[in-house]
Amino acid sequence: MLKRLWPALIAGGWALSGMAAAAGTDGEATAAVRKAVASLGPDVHIDVIAPAPLAGFYQVIAAGHLLYVSSDGKYMMNGNLIDLTARRNVSEDAWATFRKAELAKLPAGQGILFAPEHPRYTVTVFTDVNCEYCRVFHAHIDEYNRRGIAVNYLAWPREGITTTAGRETPTYAEMVAVWCAADRKAAFTAATQGHPSKPAHCDNPVKAQYELGERLGVDGTPAVIGPDGRMLGGFLPPDALLQALKESGQGG
């Protein structure tokens, strides 16, 4: 995977040499970029290829990373692209658009929603029932709701899905049990308080949600995503999260 290749690519100053191709048209450039990114590994899934604001480069979202690749497929850059005139992080703009579109595809009811009667904002939180700050976040759930913030939890077991021996990780198994419970909200709350549900198996979205989080650039929990797809951070106390939502002009 690209994530495993990344340290070597950065440390070694690795370039996409040998991948150059004549890019006389947009279609040819896209093909060159796709070929170059695919060369990073057999399992690299490309989600987005689009012209970048940077002349001569394409913006690529692949395997949970945002890259800038030259139109001839020869060079790759990793990092945030800043518009100095507008003073905007255009890389985060691209991520936000992608995250919002992908989250909108989730079937209704797939997450675990804690919401007030008339929410002003809804945030998506990739969470792990055993992570310390996820537990702190959920301990304040009533306060978030009182401030008009609905929280839709998606599963992201930080241990991953399976161990190196191919067995389910303990946290993955716990989160499957939560999503299989008759009362998911009660089971989730209990799990964050150190009272996991009995092991259970059912048709559940935990693995799919974990993989979605990886594609959206999640690398830790809690990962709080605003209504417009922007990553707002990890644990934010209720007033701080409300202020961040107000300042970003999202919803409400």
Side-chain angles (χ1 to χ4, degrees):
M1 290 295 290
L2 186 55
K3 287 186 177 180
R4 291 195 291 271
L5 287 170
W6 208 252
L9 299 185
I10 300 305
W14 195 83
L16 299 171
S17 58
M19 291 291 118
T25 68
D26 182 65
E28 289 172 344
T30 299
V33 170
R34 184 177 297 278
K35 182 179 179 181
V37 175
S39 75
L40 296 174
D43 299 323
V44 174
H45 175 78
I46 299 171
D47 288 296
V48 176
I49 298 179
L54 184 65
F57 280 80
Y58 277 69
Q59 193 166 255
V60 180
I61 295 178
H65 291 276
L66 192 150
L67 319 170
Y68 294 95
V69 181
S70 59
S71 59
D72 61 2
K74 188 175 181 180
Y75 298 105
M76 177 182 73
M77 296 190 298
N78 167 47
N80 289 326
L81 183 63
I82 308 299
D83 183 330
L84 294 176
T85 301
R87 297 190 179 277
R88 289 183 65 85
N89 182 335
V90 295
S91 298
E92 183 52 33
D93 290 345
W95 267 126
T97 299
F98 177 61
R99 292 189 193 108
K100 182 177 180 179
E102 292 301 298
L103 290 172
K105 297 175 185 177
L106 285 174
Q110 193 179 92
I112 299 178
L113 180 67
F114 289 80
E117 187 173 357
H118 301 292
R120 295 173 58 193
Y121 307 96
T122 298
V123 297
T124 300
V125 179
F126 283 89
T127 190
D128 175 323
V129 293
N130 289 319
C131 101
E132 179 181 355
Y133 281 103
C134 298
R135 290 181 168 190
V136 173
F137 186 100
H138 191 62
H140 293 283
I141 195 65
D142 289 341
E143 296 174 54
Y144 292 116
N145 286 174
R146 280 196 291 272
R147 286 160 176 78
I149 304 170
V151 176
N152 190 38
Y153 286 119
L154 299 180
W156 207 80
R158 296 188 302 168
E159 295 176 325
I161 304 302
T162 57
T163 66
T164 54
R167 300 185 181 90
E168 292 182 350
T169 64
T171 299
Y172 170 73
E174 282 189 41
M175 298 193 79
V176 167
V178 167
W179 258 259
C180 288
D183 186 339
R184 288 181 178 179
K185 292 172 68 174
F188 181 85
T189 297
T192 63
Q193 295 171 347
H195 306 293
S197 300
K198 292 181 180 179
H201 291 86
C202 67
D203 184 16
N204 70 86
V206 174
K207 182 175 183 290
Q209 290 180 6
Y210 176 81
E211 292 171 346
L212 173 63
E214 286 198 311
R215 290 174 52 228
L216 300 187
V218 172
D219 59 7
T221 53
V224 183
I225 300 174
D228 71 348
R230 293 186 183 278
M231 188 74 73
L232 298 176
F235 169 67
L236 290 172
D239 285 335
L241 180 55
L242 179 60
Q243 186 62 30
L245 289 164
K246 286 179 178 179
E247 289 177 356
S248 64
Q250 301 183 48

